[in-house]
């Protein structure tokens, strides 16, 4: 079995041939960077991911975490790679080197992260959650809080978590009941129960910093009255020394479908009245602070869905090249014809092409959004920064939901390519599917993301941000029209963009009137259609970048097909054009049908009486 979890040729293509990532190096912030340095980072990440993390994938799943007497023990095989991961400063790649980061652009960090997340997300999560907690402290903490926590979180000396969910407060975060009472010394006493907390307890790091959402006694109900607190597992003294256990007790660990190497904990805070925390930011600003972090966190969850998908696709591709079964269709009834690798069969090729289209499209989409973060942070003026900020806000619910849903579907399609072996533990794709599924549920379910897109994001600048997005799509399609090999694909993309615009207008109108519920019943399909259009856009953009390079390679070839068959670069570029063709001609028409269904505004799902659903 090939040990390939990400496609380095494709990563380089997206970074440097589709997107002009090198233009970032002209900005002051990245003036000391160049392509060679970035390539070295990605090479090192690939080596580390393949040699140190990937071998823990099945082993961590089989051993799982252990829970006894309130303590969680991580899989033994995680300890060495975690120590090396911390030593090599892989945790906070985009942060300031003085704080333990590497000062890299988001888009380069994403490329490196394909090798960590794709190798074993259960492992990687121990490190990345500390980064998220640190980022909130960097943005909203007091100088004292920064001095105490920041470097230790960014370097991985301490771990982090995120405590939002409670038994009665899942999607409805505003219903939480965890409370905070001010103490005379400026700290708060925290009391409450949290559930489903990733890495809420673990023994990899000497301390864990829990950002906790809670309500200060007397604060308003709902999200308006939520504050955020820094609650350590062990109290941190003003000089940085660790003090007493802070009464954050792990009462259980979920038995779940996947991510067995990552504990999903129930935590009781202040059960003995001794849990204290520091307020982060101002009182009642908890949701505002969380929202600031949400965009990056949700991009990361979409990225998790994708990283499982790219690994699953590459495993399935490798298997399809090795596994011999059946004869070439063209051999007819000739029983003496030799068996062929299953990649020869048209139906297997269809499955592989389907997977490739989504994996390629998602990689480009995710890198595009990561690059939008970089463009925003390096913008020459406030208008440019606002432009990128708008696109990020609009695209985040799409990138989170679409890549988590399609990522899971790619994993199950990979199982199909394997046949019976795909369903067994002998091969990694069943685990990839199990581990991937959660990405559509946590960090705001995909249903909630779709409501965010329709209810809040479409309305940004009275629809102006959505129109900016469509303008970007249309610009690529217009440019691609000049490329001979792509001309016929462009009108289809333009037409789909027009359809989506109509659907957006209709849904926004209905959502503001009597057909509110019918409109929101179509929020999920609308988000999916938006994602499909983005796939078509990205694949066309890739093909536009590939076509002239293919022409240059073929310029002197007597036989074009022969050249492509014998030249990896030519085959790669030709593959870009074929993938765009497949998606735009075979899948985009289905999307247009789905958009038509949205425009039909069928209300049966909301009109049916609850008893009409059947059941008991
Ligand atoms: C493995 C794992 C790890 C997790 N890690 C963390 C963590 O580290 N920190 C943390 O705080 N939480 C964590 N969670 C919790 C996770 O974020 C929640 O499970 C998720 O937000 C959904 O909440 P819920 O499970 O209560 O589902 P519910 O909110 O009950 O939702 C059930 C269904 O109803 C839908 N729904 C709910 N409300 C609405 C609405 N208003 N409109 C339309 N549809 C709606 C949802 O989309 C969903 O389909 C984790 C969960 C798991 C399983």
């Amino acid at each position: 079995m090939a040990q390939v979890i990400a496609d380095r040729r494709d990563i380089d293509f997206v970074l440097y041939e589709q997107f002009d990532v090198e233009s970032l190096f002209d900005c002051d912030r990245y003036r000391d960077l160049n392509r060679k340095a970035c390539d070295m980072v990605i090479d090192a990440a690939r080596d580390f991911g393949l040699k140190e993390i990937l071998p823990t994938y099945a082993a961590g799943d089989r051993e799982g975490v252990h829970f006894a007497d309130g303590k969680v023990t991580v899989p033994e095989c995680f300890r060495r790679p975690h120590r090396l991961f911390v030593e090599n400063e892989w945790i906070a790649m985009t942060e300031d080197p003085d704080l333990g980061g590497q000062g890299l652009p988001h888009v380069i960090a994403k490329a490196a992260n394909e090798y960590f997340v794709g190798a074993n997300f259960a492992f990687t999560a121990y490190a990345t959650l500390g980064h998220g907690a640190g980022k909130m402290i960097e943005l909203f903490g007091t100088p004292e809080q920064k001095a105490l926590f920041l470097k230790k979180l960014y370097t991985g000396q301490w771990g982090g978590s995120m405590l939002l969910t409670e038994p009665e407060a899942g999607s409805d975060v505003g219903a939480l009941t965890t409370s905070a009472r001010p103490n005379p010394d400026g700290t708060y006493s925290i009391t409450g129960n949290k559930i489903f907390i990733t890495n809420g307890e673990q023994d990899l790091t000497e301390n864990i910093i829990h950002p906790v959402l809670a309500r200060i006694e007397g604060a308003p109900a709902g999200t308006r009255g939520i504050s955020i607190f820094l609650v350590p597992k062990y109290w941190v003294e003003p000089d940085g020394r660790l003090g007493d256990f802070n009464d954050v007790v792990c009462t259980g660990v979920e038995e779940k479908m996947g991510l067995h190497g990552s504990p999903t904990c129930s935590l009781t805070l202040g059960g003995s009245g001794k849990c204290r925390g520091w307020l982060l930011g101002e009182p009642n600003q908890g949701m505002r602070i969380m929202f600031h972090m949400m965009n990056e966190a949700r991009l990361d969850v979409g990225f998790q869905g994708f990283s499982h998908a790219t690994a699953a696709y590459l495993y399935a591709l490798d298997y399809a090249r090795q596994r011999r079964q059946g004869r070439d269709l063209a051999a007819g009834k000739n029983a003496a014809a030799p068996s062929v690798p299953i990649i020869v069969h048209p139906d297997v090729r269809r499955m592989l092409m389907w997977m490739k289209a989504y994996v390629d499209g998602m990689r480009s989409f995710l890198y595009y959004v990561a690059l939008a973060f970089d463009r925003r942070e390096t913008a020459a003026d406030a208008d440019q920064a606002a432009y990128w900020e708008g696109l990020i806000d609009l695209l985040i619910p799409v990138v989170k939901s679409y890549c988590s849903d399609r990522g899971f579907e790619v994993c199950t399609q990979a199982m199909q390519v394997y046949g019976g072996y795909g369903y067994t533990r002998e091969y990694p794709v069943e685990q990839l599917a199990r581990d991937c599924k959660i990405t559509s549920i946590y960090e705001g379910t995909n249903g909630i993301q779709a409501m965010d897109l329709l209810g809040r994001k479409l309305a940004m600048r009275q629809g102006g941000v959505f129109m900016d997005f469509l303008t970007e799509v249309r610009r690529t399609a217009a440019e691609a029209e000049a490329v001979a090999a792509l001309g016929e694909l462009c009108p289809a993309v333009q037409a789909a963009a027009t359809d989506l615009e109509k659907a957006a207008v209709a849904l926004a109108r209905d959502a503001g009137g009597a057909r509110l519920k019918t409109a929101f019943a179509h929020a999920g399909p609308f988000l999916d259609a938006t994602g499909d259009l983005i796939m078509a856009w990205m694949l066309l953009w890739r093909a536009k970048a590939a076509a002239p390079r293919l022409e240059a390679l073929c310029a002197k070839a007597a036989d074009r097909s022969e050249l492509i068959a014998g030249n990896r670069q030519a085959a790669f570029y030709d593959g870009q054009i074929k993938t765009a063709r497949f998606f735009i001609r075979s899948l985009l028409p289905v999307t247009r049908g789905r958009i038509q269904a949205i425009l039909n505004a069928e209300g049966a799902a909301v009109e049916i009486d609850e008893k009409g659903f059947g059941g008991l």
Side-chain angles (χ1 to χ4, degrees):
M1 183 171 62
Q3 300 283 291
V4 187
I5 46 174
D7 187 334
R8 182 60 196 275
R9 175 67 187 94
D10 200 63
I11 289 172
D12 286 343
F13 174 74
V14 176
L15 291 177
Y16 303 116
E17 296 174 74
Q18 180 181 14
F19 304 137
D20 181 17
V21 165
E22 279 171 287
S23 64
L24 280 178
F25 309 145
D26 297 334
C27 308
D28 270 359
R29 181 173 181 156
Y30 298 120
R31 208 171 339 125
D32 295 337
L33 271 181
N34 53 42
R35 176 168 176 178
K36 197 167 163 213
C38 291
D39 285 352
M40 279 168 59
V41 170
I42 301 169
D43 285 346
R46 179 178 59 187
D47 288 350
F48 190 84
L50 293 179
K51 283 193 196 126
E52 299 291 343
I53 305 180
L54 191 59
T56 68
Y57 191 51
D61 178 66
R62 305 305 185 258
E63 183 185 339
V65 295
H66 308 276
F67 174 67
D69 302 327
K71 300 279 173 217
V72 171
T73 312
V74 306
E76 197 49 40
C77 59
F78 284 8
R79 295 190 192 282
R80 177 190 141 89
H82 182 80
R83 182 173 48 75
L84 295 174
F85 199 75
V86 167
E87 278 172 18
N88 291 337
E89 298 184 339
W90 283 120
I91 290 175
M93 280 185 271
T94 53
E95 306 304 340
D96 187 337
D98 289 341
L99 296 172
Q102 295 192 34
L104 290 169
H106 291 270
V107 70
I108 298 295
K110 280 279 166 286
N113 257 318
E114 282 201 34
Y115 291 100
F116 302 148
V117 180
N120 189 353
F121 177 64
F123 166 85
T124 313
Y126 287 103
T128 49
L129 278 169
H131 178 205
K135 192 73 200 171
M136 282 199 282
I137 296 169
E138 183 180 347
L139 293 174
F140 299 100
T142 61
E144 293 76 24
Q145 289 169 345
K146 288 182 199 174
L148 276 187
F149 301 116
L150 204 49
K151 200 158 182 182
K152 288 189 168 139
L153 284 166
Y154 279 170
T155 55
Q157 189 176 339
W158 293 350
S161 68
M162 201 59 80
L163 273 63
L164 288 79
T165 307
E166 298 180 8
E168 301 308 325
S171 301
D172 185 9
V173 182
L176 64 77
T177 59
T178 297
S179 69
R181 189 167 32 81
N183 296 318
D185 65 357
T187 64
Y188 287 77
S189 290
I190 312 287
T191 315
N193 293 302
K194 297 283 179 179
I195 58 164
F196 290 160
I197 304 306
T198 302
N199 303 340
E201 155 62 13
Q202 41 84 4
D203 66 342
L204 265 183
T205 55
E206 63 185 28
N207 203 5
I208 306 172
I209 305 303
H210 304 288
V212 178
L213 290 189
R215 202 180 305 281
I216 298 174
E217 284 176 357
T223 49
R224 283 190 309 126
I226 292 178
S227 302
I228 189 162
F229 298 88
L230 298 172
V231 177
K233 174 176 169 181
Y234 292 103
W235 190 251
V236 184
E237 303 295 349
D239 61 2
R241 275 180 308 115
L242 293 190
D244 293 338
F245 179 65
N246 192 35
D247 198 12
V248 180
V249 177
C250 180
T251 54
V253 165
E254 301 296 333
E255 303 249 336
K256 40 189 205 296
M257 172 181 177
L259 290 186
H260 292 152
S262 166
T264 306
C265 305
S266 303
L267 299 177
T268 295
L269 296 96
S272 306
K274 291 184 178 157
C275 176
R276 287 182 296 159
W278 295 271
L279 179 69
L280 181 63
E282 298 295 315
N284 302 335
Q285 295 292 304
M287 291 310 286
R288 197 178 69 81
I289 294 173
M290 281 303 294
F291 271 124
H292 213 90
M293 288 309 303
M294 281 312 183
N295 277 351
E296 229 170 297
R298 288 180 174 161
L299 174 63
D300 286 347
V301 174
F303 186 76
Q304 288 161 31
F306 157 75
S307 298
H308 288 84
T310 176
Y313 167 62
L314 292 171
Y315 284 131
L317 179 61
D318 181 54
Y319 186 81
R321 286 178 170 142
Q322 314 289 337
R323 167 76 171 161
R324 300 184 81 87
Q325 196 71 188
R327 286 160 192 79
D328 194 327
L329 258 186
K333 293 190 174 146
N334 177 8
S339 66
V340 292
I342 60 171
I343 197 168
V344 170
H345 302 310
D347 189 58
V348 174
R349 295 178 83 94
R350 174 193 59 79
M351 289 193 277
L352 291 171
M353 186 56 129
W354 184 94
M355 294 162 78
K356 174 173 164 50
Y358 284 113
V359 167
D360 286 2
M362 286 193 284
R363 177 175 284 114
S364 290
F365 181 22
L366 284 151
Y367 283 30
Y368 179 84
V369 179
L371 192 53
F373 277 80
D374 293 318
R375 300 267 185 237
R376 182 192 61 184
E377 287 170 17
T378 58
D381 55 48
D383 284 352
Q384 249 193 44
Y387 180 81
W388 290 111
E389 175 90 24
L391 280 184
I392 291 169
D393 286 344
L394 176 79
L395 295 177
I396 284 295
V398 187
V399 84
K400 190 276 176 187
S401 298
Y402 193 83
C403 295
S404 56
D405 276 340
R406 291 298 94 70
F408 178 66
E409 286 169 14
V410 168
C411 292
T412 58
Q413 187 76 276
M415 291 168 70
Q416 197 69 23
V417 170
Y418 272 81
Y421 287 112
Y423 195 63
T424 70
R425 288 176 146 210
E426 195 176 337
Y427 289 93
V429 287
E430 64 82 29
Q431 189 188 338
L432 285 166
R434 283 190 285 112
D435 288 352
C436 183
K437 180 55 203 163
I438 186 59
T439 56
S440 64
I441 297 172
Y442 62 20
E443 204 57 55
T445 64
N446 285 2
I448 298 293
Q449 302 303 314
M451 292 172 68
D452 180 43
L453 177 66
L454 173 56
R456 291 181 53 231
K457 302 301 174 64
L458 271 190
M460 284 190 307
R461 250 182 36 236
Q462 288 81 44
V465 176
F466 189 74
M467 291 311 294
D468 286 346
F469 151 66
L470 288 181
T471 303
E472 295 281 346
V473 176
R474 286 170 170 144
R475 184 182 308 133
T476 302
E479 287 167 5
E481 237 166 274
V483 181
L486 309 177
E488 59 161 347
L489 302 180
C490 302
V493 176
Q494 297 280 18
T498 303
D499 289 355
L500 193 75
E501 184 180 344
K502 281 186 202 151
V505 170
L507 284 181
R509 183 196 58 222
D510 288 357
R515 294 176 64 79
L516 165 86
K517 287 197 174 185
T518 301
F520 275 93
H522 290 90
F526 176 72
L527 184 146
D528 266 345
T530 306
D532 285 351
L533 179 67
I534 292 169
M535 291 298 101
W537 170 32
M538 289 296 154
L539 294 173
L540 188 63
W541 191 340
R542 282 167 162 264
K544 181 168 75 74
R549 293 172 166 89
L550 177 63
E551 287 317 307
L553 288 171
C554 290
K556 292 189 185 127
D559 184 329
R560 201 179 162 90
S561 305
E562 203 176 292
L563 180 117
I564 289 170
N567 180 317
R568 288 189 83 84
Q569 289 301 325
F572 176 85
Y573 291 131
D574 184 58
Q576 299 303 318
I577 296 167
K578 297 270 183 356
T579 308
R581 239 177 66 195
F582 171 80
F583 192 91
I584 293 167
R585 290 168 61 104
S586 300
L587 302 182
L588 198 59
V590 181
T591 305
R592 295 192 64 193
R594 289 205 182 116
I595 296 176
Q596 191 52 53
I598 295 169
L599 287 166
N600 291 347
E602 172 51 51
V606 291
E607 287 161 18
I608 183 173
D609 185 273
E610 257 184 58
K611 289 185 282 302
F613 280 111
L616 291 177

